[in-house]
Structure formats: structure tokens, C-alpha cells
Amino acid sequence: MYKRKNTLVNTNHEQFPEANELSFDIAVSLFIRDCKVRNLSPHTITYYQNELKMVQRYLESEGIKDVAQVTENDIKEYVIERMFDEERKDTAINTRLRAARAFFRFLHKKNHIPVNPMEDLSLIKEKRNVIETFTNEQIRMLLRVPDRNTFTGLRDYTLMIVMLETGVRLKELVGIRVQHVNLADGYIRITEAKGYKERNVPIQRQARQVLRHYIAVRGHSETDFLFVTLNDEPIAYRSVQKRIAKIGKLSGVKNVRVSAHTFRHTFAKLSVQNGANIFELQAILGHTSLEMVRRYVNLFSEDVARGHAKFSPVENLY
């Protein structure tokens, strides 16, 4: 029987290269491909791409180009401390860290890297900033700005009413289509929600009247998106941001940022004060957890026991 010799002859161990370096570009492409396979929304994928690009830039500027070599200390020193030096907001730092955490968790789970450098790293503790909201008088000031004798004025007035009545996110607002508006039963179907979790949000009499008038004036269109431009195209996310900011300047509203998110916070405040309970608020706002909703209730509730009362921010303006 043949017996193999145990001593290796003329063996140069240097001729066998170490495992190939895993570059950030390749690692990110693997991660993004997995996100697409899992059918994550384009918005979420863009978020990951943008945040990971910055993490890559931080680490590569320190000479770290092999993802498998990244350590916990590298994340602390070259990513977290770098963002502190740049005076980033706590929320912005955690937003980037969440993307990095998902990225490295995926790489480790799929055996692309031997160790997950973020396994024992927690998000930074965020300062609790005051939630900005509009007063009823400020809302009236904003609603007086658009010239409702023009199409753009009527449209801008209507979209502010919808934001105030429903608390929808801006991304959700621009995604509303005409067929999503059910005036007979009094609700709007939100399809562009986070995590593809569609929901119905109720609308009451005043908001329905405003929407009915706008839809009639809007008339036939080549697009079925609810809010359109003079060129009969769906109004863009950025365009709404600019329109709302301009309305804010023209209104004379001071000491509060005029934005879509402030409308959302205002909806939450007025809903709680007018009787909405925590579960109603969670369902309408589309929050997956109760954490933010509890914060709204704790901040704005004058009497949580009144939560069974009917509520409508727009209805209570009149």
C-alpha cells in the first residue's frame, strides 16, 4: 500500500497568497444586492447607499480599505468621533450607525468577515429635543397664504390640509393617487408607507370638502397622482418642501420651522389634545412601535382618559 511521506519537499509557503482583500465597494454591492432581493423600498436602499458611502470615506481616509480588518475601535475612533468632531446631530450620528450596523451584521452573517466590529457597539444616547408644533393661530396664518383663486394656491392649501388632518409623512403625501381618496367613506389609502405597510387614514367633513373641491378643479389628468403641477406632472418631494418653506416665510410665522414634519408633529399634538388615544395615533401615523407615540402623549396629553372622544385637527380649527 502506498504511504504518503509526511515531510514536504521544496515547499515555499510564500507562494500561497492570503485571502483576497474585501474592498468596501464590493462589500457594499453585496449588501445592496441583498437589500434588493429582500424587496426593501428604493428609499431605504438609497439611505443605506448614502450612509455607507460616508462610513467608507471615513475609514478609507485612515488607510482602512479591507472591510474584514475593521475593528470596534476603528468604528469608535474614525467614524463616531469623526462625526462628533463635525458637530453632527445625535440623530444624524445614530442614523449612520444604524446603516453601518445592518451592513456589518450582514457581512458577518454571510461569512464575508470573521468578526462583526459593531456587535457590542450601542447607539449614542440622544438628547431629547423639544418637538416643534404650530399653534392654531400659526396654522391659520399658514392657510391664509395660498391664493385659492389659482390652481397652485388651491393645491398648496389642500396639501397642507391633508398633512394637518392625517399626519402623513411627505413621502407618503406625494405618493397619494386620486383612487386612494375615498370621500364617501372618509379615508385616504396610504401606499408609500415605511416598510410597505399600507394603512387607511381617516378624514373628516371639512377635509373632505376641501379635497372634493380640489379634485374637481384638478379635473382630468394624464397622471393619477393626486397632487400635480401646472405641467400636469406629479409634484416632486423637493418641490413640496420648497413650497412649504416659502409659505412659511410669507406667513410671518416665527420661532418654529415650517416643514412637513412640523405639520406631522402638530397633527399628533392636536389629536392627543382633542382626545386621540395611543393606539389610534399609532395606527394613523403608521409607527411600528409605540415609543414615539408615547412621547407625543406624554408631551401633549392634558387628559389621556379623554382618548375615547372623537378627534379631527382640521374639524377643531373651525
Side-chain angles (χ1 to χ4, degrees):
M1 177 184 291
Y2 170 77
K3 185 176 181 180
R4 185 185 301 277
K5 292 183 178 180
N6 192 37
T7 303
L8 299 179
V9 181
N10 296 327
T11 300
N12 180 4
H13 295 289
E14 299 299 322
Q15 64 181 311
F16 298 103
E18 295 182 0
N20 290 332
E21 175 182 288
L22 180 62
S23 71
F24 274 94
D25 287 336
I26 293 175
V28 171
S29 68
L30 290 170
F31 175 66
I32 296 301
R33 184 173 66 184
D34 180 71
C35 291
K36 291 177 179 178
V37 169
R38 290 187 286 129
N39 200 29
L40 299 189
S41 72
H43 179 79
T44 300
I45 290 173
T46 299
Y47 149 69
Y48 280 135
Q49 288 173 325
N50 291 340
E51 298 302 334
L52 293 176
K53 186 182 296 181
M54 292 305 302
V55 173
Q56 176 180 353
R57 185 178 301 175
Y58 291 151
L59 293 171
E60 287 188 345
S61 69
E62 300 296 331
I64 302 170
K65 297 183 179 181
D66 183 355
V67 179
Q69 300 302 314
V70 176
T71 66
E72 178 180 320
N73 192 61
D74 292 332
I75 299 295
K76 289 179 179 177
E77 187 173 350
Y78 304 133
V79 177
I80 298 177
E81 288 187 17
R82 174 80 169 269
M83 288 191 283
F84 276 128
D85 290 342
E86 294 173 347
E87 298 183 349
R88 301 272 177 181
K89 291 182 179 179
D90 296 346
T91 52
I93 293 175
N94 280 339
T95 295
R96 188 157 295 163
L97 290 179
R98 286 188 182 94
R101 190 162 62 179
F103 171 63
F104 284 109
R105 185 190 299 122
F106 161 78
L107 294 176
H108 183 242
K109 182 179 178 181
K110 297 299 182 181
N111 297 317
H112 295 302
I113 58 176
V115 176
N116 177 1
M118 297 197 67
E119 186 172 3
D120 298 322
L121 271 179
S122 301
L123 300 178
I124 68 168
K125 188 173 182 180
E126 295 182 12
K127 301 181 186 72
R128 286 291 190 181
N129 296 322
V130 175
I131 295 178
E132 291 187 323
T133 60
F134 301 124
T135 64
N136 279 4
E137 180 54 34
Q138 288 173 330
I139 294 169
R140 294 187 182 97
M141 291 167 67
L142 292 167
L143 293 176
R144 281 196 291 264
V145 172
D147 180 1
R148 284 181 274 170
N149 292 315
T150 66
F151 175 75
T152 53
L154 178 63
R155 179 203 61 204
D156 293 348
Y157 176 85
T158 304
L159 63 83
M160 284 194 291
I161 286 290
V162 171
M163 285 191 292
L164 183 64
E165 176 74 347
T166 63
V168 292
R169 303 173 178 92
L170 182 50
K171 175 175 172 283
E172 296 170 339
L173 179 81
V174 298
I176 297 173
R177 299 172 187 261
V178 176
Q179 62 266 30
H180 296 157
V181 182
N182 188 324
L183 296 175
D185 295 330
Y187 69 84
I188 299 175
R189 185 70 175 166
I190 302 301
T191 60
E192 297 296 322
K194 276 189 175 182
Y196 295 122
K197 295 179 181 177
E198 296 186 3
R199 68 187 189 280
N200 290 334
V201 293
I203 49 175
Q204 305 306 321
R205 182 175 59 87
Q206 295 286 355
R208 280 192 248 183
Q209 288 181 358
V210 172
L211 274 164
R212 185 177 288 109
H213 178 52
Y214 166 74
I215 291 172
V217 171
R218 175 188 178 279
H220 174 74
S221 173
E222 293 298 320
T223 178
D224 59 356
F225 283 94
L226 179 63
F227 295 112
V228 295
T229 67
L230 287 175
N231 294 327
D232 206 29
E233 297 174 345
I235 193 167
Y237 183 101
R238 297 293 182 194
S239 296
V240 178
Q241 284 183 318
K242 291 177 181 178
R243 298 291 296 181
I244 293 173
K246 183 177 181 180
I247 288 170
K249 289 180 180 179
L250 294 173
S251 70
V253 169
K254 305 292 184 184
N255 302 321
V256 60
R257 187 168 71 102
V258 179
S259 69
H261 222 64
T262 308
F263 274 96
R264 182 169 166 84
H265 290 323
T266 302
F267 163 84
K269 178 186 76 172
L270 296 180
S271 295
V272 169
Q273 291 180 347
N274 292 330
N277 66 41
I278 191 170
F279 300 107
E280 290 171 322
L281 204 55
Q282 181 188 25
I284 294 174
L285 288 171
H287 284 297
T288 54
S289 76
L290 286 172
E291 180 183 355
M292 189 62 194
V293 187
R294 285 196 184 97
R295 191 176 172 202
Y296 285 136
V297 172
N298 290 337
L299 281 173
F300 304 131
S301 180
E302 296 174 347
D303 183 4
V304 180
R306 296 186 305 151
H308 294 288
K310 293 182 179 179
F311 65 93
S312 165
V314 172
E315 200 74 14
N316 282 275
L317 282 177
Y318 294 88

